[in-house]
Amino acid sequence: MDWSKSYSRLIENAGIIHTTLAPIRLTRLQLTRLFLAQLNRDLLSSMAGLSSTMTGKYSRFVENVGIIRKTLAPIRLSRMQLMGLLLAQFWRDRGAAARITLVLLIGLISAIVLDRLIRPETLEALGLPLGGSSTRTKVDFQTMLEACKSKYPKQPFLIRAFGVEYVVFPSSYFDEIKKLPEKQASALAFFRDSFHEPWSGIPRQSAELLKAVSVDLPRAIPSFVRARQADCAATCKSVIGAPTEWKEVTLFAAMQEIVASTNASAFVGRELGTNRKWIRCVERLPMAALIGTVLLSYLPLVLRPFFKPILFAPAIWLRWNMANMLTPILNEDWREFDESMDRKQLLGPKDKGKVPMTGWLLNRYKSGQASMKRLIDDYITLSFESTASSAGTLFFIMGELAADPALADTLRRELLSCAPNGTLPLTHLTELRRMDSVMRESTRANPFSHLVLYRKLLTPLKLSVGPKLPAGTNICVDAHHINFATSLWKNPTEFDGMRHYKKRQSPENEQRFKFANLGADSPGWGDGLQACPGRLFADNTLKIILTHLLLNYEFRLRPNETKPKKGSAPNGTMYPDMWAKILFRSRAAFLLDHSNAPQQTDAAAHVIRSDLNKNLPALVGAMQEECAVALDSRMPECNGSSRVHLTEALNVAWTPIYVYMTIAQAVAQVTTRVLCGQELARNEEWIKMSVKTTINAMQTAAAIREKYPPYLRWLAPYLMKGPKLSLANRRRAAEVISPIMEKRMAGKGDGTGHGDGIQWLIAASGARRKSVLELADEQLFLTIASIHSTSASTLSILHDLADHPMDHENILKELETVQKSCGGMWTKESLYKLERLDSFMKESQRVHPIGLGQFVRSARILGSHGVADKRAVTVTRSAVKPYTFKDGFHLPANTLISFPMAELNHDPDIWHDTDTFDGSRFLRLRQQGDPNAWQFAFVGENSINFGAGTHACPGRYYVSQEIKLMLAHLLLKYEITWPEGKRRPANMAHDFATPPSPMAEMMFRTKKSR
C-alpha cells in the first residue's frame, strides 16, 4: 500500500514539473537529466539523514551503556559479565520465533566452523590429482573417466561424491587390488559405511549369510527351477497381464516387481512373496537408504549423528514392517528345524517350495549366536541385495531386446530347443548359451557401475603405484576401460548380443565368457574372495524371468523412441530411466474381434468332423476331376505367353512359375467342389473371395490390435477399411450362393445328389431355417480352416521334391504304377497305396512344419536352408479354468499354451539322424510295425503336426487325400525343378506359423507322352 502511494505521488510531482517547465521547452532528454540530478540530490540528502540518525542512535546506545556501567560500577563487573547481562536482556526482549531462529543460526555457523576444523585432510595433500572438478561429471561420469584416463593413464586419481573421497586406480591394477585380503581392504566395510549401517535399516551382513548364499544356495538352484518358473509366471501375470494389444509398461517398475516377487517366493515362500505389502517394502528399502545417504552427505559431520534418525526414519520403518511379516514364518522354520530328525534331508534340495535358508543359517550359526533378530537381519540383507541390482540388470537387457526384435527371436528359438513346452531343465541353465551371451553383453555395455572393487582400507597401504594411503581411504578400479577396451573387444561401443556366444565356440573358451564368470574381463561381479556371492542365483533368476517374458510376450519400443536412457551418479553408479516405457503384447493373442470376419459355428464344426470324413470315399472322383480342371486352367504355357489348357502347352522350354497362388486357387476350387458343389466351384469370383477371405481377416485383426485400445475397438468396423471389406465380402458371398441355396431349399437338385457341404449344413441346422448370409458365413469360415494351410503344405512338399530328385523319381514310378492299376481313376484305396509319397509328405511335415496361423505380407524371413524353423507350434489350448500339473506347474485360467513342433520332430530319442531329410523314413516304419501308425494324417504321442487328442485337426484325412491328388496331377504331367543354382529357400515366420516362401520361383516343363 505504501509503495502504491509513493508511486502516485511520484507521478503527480512529475506532472507538476512538466507543466511548470513547459514554457522553457526542454527536450525529453534534458528534462530527464534534470530529474535524475534532482533525484541524486534527494538520495544524498536521505543518506546523510540516515547516517545522522544512525550516529545519533549509536551515541544514545553508547551513552546508555556508559550510564549502565556507572550505575553498576560499585558492583565491579568485568566486561564479560557486563556483556552477559546485556545479552540476557537482549534475549528477554526477543520473541519465541526470534529466539529459535537465533539458536539455529548460531548452531549452524558453529557446526560449519567445527566441520572445517575436524574434517579429515583431503587426499590431495598426498599428491593425488582431482578428477571430476567440473559440474558435468555429476551426470556424465563416463566422460570424466575418459578425460582422467587421458590425463593420468598410469596413476590413480581422486573423485568426490556425496561428501566422500575415492581413490580410483587404472583398470590395469584390477588384479592387484582384487588380491588384497579382507583384513586389509574390506568391501563390506565400504558398503556399511556408505549406507551408514545400522541407521539406514540395512543390517550388517553376517559371515553365515555369505556362506549360505555362496555355498548352500548354488547347490540347490537346479532343484528349484520349476517352482521358480511357476513363481515368475504368477508374478508376470499380475504385473503385466496378458494384453491382447500393445500395452505401455513402465519398464523399471515392472522388472523390479517381477524380480522382487520371484526372489521373495523362493526365500520366504509364495504366500509372503506375492504379498503386496512385502513387495513394496523390498522395493522401497534401497531407495529409502539411498535418499537418506545422499541428504546426509550435505550436512556437516558434527550434525550427522543428530539427523540420522530423521533422514533414515523411512528405512527404519520399512525394516520394522518387514521384521513383523518375517517373524511368524521364521518361527515356523525354526520349529521345523528343531523338530527335524533328519537334518540332511531337511537342508537338502527339494523340487518345489521355498529354499531352506533358515535351516542353512541356523546350521551355520555358532553355538549360542542364533536369535530371531539375527535371522531377520540376514533375511532383510538378502532381500535388499538380491533385488535392486538384478532389477537394474533386467531393465537394460529388456531395453536391448525391445530395440532388436530379431535378437529376441534368436533367444526364442534357443528356448524352443532347450526348454520344451517352455519348461526349463533342472540345471544351472548353462544350456542357454545365447541368452547368457546377451545377458553378459548387456552388463558390459550397461554396467551397474563405472567403478568396481570398492574397498575401505583398514590399515595403511602402499600399492605398486601412487602414494601410501592412510587407513579409512576408499579405493576402487576404473571398470569402464575394461568394458570398452579395444584390446579385449572388437567394436566395443556396439552392442553385439552374440559376442560372447561366438567367443565360446572355441574349445579353449568353453568355460569362459559366461554371465556369472569372474575375471579381469568381467569386472561387474567384483573378483577374488570378496566377489558377489549371489551371482549364480542372480544368473538363474534372470534366465527364468527372461524365458517367461520371451515365450509369453512380444515387446518393442514405443514409436519413434530409442533404447531407454541411462544416467550416472557422481560416484560412478549407473541408474536406469525410472519412467521409461516399452510396449508389451501377449504372444497368445490371436483375436478377430470387430473385424467382421466369419466365425465358427457348431454346424460348421460338425460338417468337418462327421459328414466330410464319412463321405471321403465317395468324394475322391469329384476331387480328382476338379483338381485337373483347376490346375489345367491355371498353369501357364511353357513359353508363358497365355493361360491355356495343359494339353495345348508346348513341351520344349522350362517355364518359371510362382506356383503358390496357383496351388491356393486350385485348393480353393477343389474344396469348394466338396463344400458347395460343382456350380460354385467353377465360379471364379467365389474362388477369389475364398482365397482372399483369410488374408483379409488376419490382416484386419492385426491392424485393429495395433491401432485401437480395447475400449475403442467398436469403432473399427466404422472407420477401418478391413472390416468393411470383410463385411462386403460376406454379403457378396451370400448373393453368389443365394441361387444355389434357393434350389436346395426348393428341393431342386443339380445332378450331384447334394453330397456336399451346403446340404450337410442345411441338415445340421435341424428345424431352424438359416439365412443365406449365415450359410455363406459358415462356408467362408470353412475356407479359412482349409485353404491356406493345405496350400502351404502342398507347396512345402513340392519344394522338398525339387530338393531330392532321387525321391522324386521313386515317387513318380510309384504314381505311374498305382495309376495304371486303377485305370487312371483314383480311389480311396489306390491313394492309400501311395506309401512312398505318403512317407515323403510326412517327412516334409516333420522337417518343415507349417504351424499355427497363416502368412501375410508383413512376415519376416528367418532361419537358414535345411534348418527347421523353431517357431512353429501346435496343440494350442486355452485353460478355461486353473489347472495344476503333477509336477506342480500351474496354469491360471485363460492361459494359452502351445507345444513346439520342432522340438519333438528333431528329438534324437525318437528319430534316427534327426537333421537328415529321409523321404523313406516313415515307409520303413510302416513296414516294420503297424502300417497305419505312420501315415501322413496319423496323430499320436510322437506325431503332433495335426494336433493331438480329441481336438486334433478333424479335416486331416481330407487334407491328405487332397494333397495326394494335387501332387499326383502335377508330378505326372510336369517336370519340376529349381532354377539353376537354386534350392529350397528359408521358411517364412509370422507369429506361430512357418510356411514356405510363396515368392520362390520354380521351373516347370510339360512332359512328353511316354
Side-chain angles (χ1 to χ4, degrees), residues 795-809:
L795 180 62
S796 183
I797 296 166
L798 268 182
H799 284 182
D800 285 328
L801 283 167
D803 259 9
H804 300 86
M806 291 299 296
D807 287 319
H808 187 160
E809 186 63 24

Side-chain angles (χ1 to χ4, degrees), residues 6-18:
S6 298
Y7 178 75
S8 299
R9 285 197 299 271
L10 176 64
I11 296 300
E12 182 182 353
N13 292 335
I16 294 171
I17 293 171
H18 185 270

Side-chain angles (χ1 to χ4, degrees), residues 37-47:
Q38 182 61 41
L39 182 62
N40 182 54
R41 286 191 292 271
D42 292 344
L43 286 174
L44 290 176
S45 176
S46 298
M47 291 297 293

Side-chain angles (χ1 to χ4, degrees), residues 1 8 160 275 341 402 500 526 531 536 597-598 719 747 803 819 920 930 948 956 1008:
M1 194 70 178
S8 299
R160 292 196 186 103
N275 184 307
M341 301 300 293
H500 309 282
L536 293 177
L719 301 179
D803 259 9
Q819 185 191 44
S920 300
D930 183 354
R956 61 188 183 277
K1008 296 181 180 179

Side-chain angles (χ1 to χ4, degrees), residues 754-887:
H754 306 324
D756 57 35
I758 292 179
Q759 200 64 36
W760 300 333
L761 286 170
I762 292 174
S765 301
R768 188 178 79 86
R769 182 184 177 93
K770 289 188 176 181
S771 68
V772 175
L773 181 59
E774 286 178 289
L775 287 169
D777 280 351
E778 288 175 330
Q779 288 289 349
L780 289 175
F781 169 77
L782 292 176
T783 67
I784 294 177
S786 61
I787 292 178
H788 287 283
S789 56
T790 303
S791 304
S793 296
T794 306
L795 180 62
S796 183
I797 296 166
L798 268 182
H799 284 182
D800 285 328
L801 283 167
D803 259 9
H804 300 86
M806 291 299 296
D807 287 319
H808 187 160
E809 186 63 24
N810 291 332
I811 290 169
L812 186 58
K813 291 178 182 178
E814 180 186 69
L815 283 169
E816 291 173 342
T817 301
V818 176
Q819 185 191 44
K820 186 175 181 181
S821 69
C822 65
M825 296 301 298
W826 295 105
T827 63
K828 180 182 178 181
E829 292 72 24
S830 59
L831 290 175
Y832 178 81
K833 294 178 182 178
L834 299 176
E835 296 179 344
R836 194 173 293 277
L837 175 59
D838 190 281
S839 174
F840 189 93
M841 289 162 58
K842 196 168 186 69
E843 179 68 355
S844 176
Q845 188 185 52
R846 182 189 74 84
V847 177
H848 299 110
I850 303 302
L852 174 68
Q854 311 293 338
F855 45 102
V856 296
R857 294 182 182 179
S858 62
R860 291 177 286 116
I861 302 295
L862 296 175
S864 59
H865 176 78
V867 179
D869 196 293
K870 309 218 168 164
R871 291 182 67 168
V873 298
T874 186
V875 194
T876 300
R877 303 287 185 268
S878 177
V880 296
K881 61 181 181 180
Y883 182 81
T884 302
F885 291 89
K886 292 180 180 179
D887 63 355

Side-chain angles (χ1 to χ4, degrees), residues 118 162 273 283 330 367 490 692 891 980:
I118 67 173
F162 306 129
E283 292 174 346
L330 299 185
S367 178
K490 181 180 179 181
K692 292 179 179 179
L891 289 178
E980 186 175 353

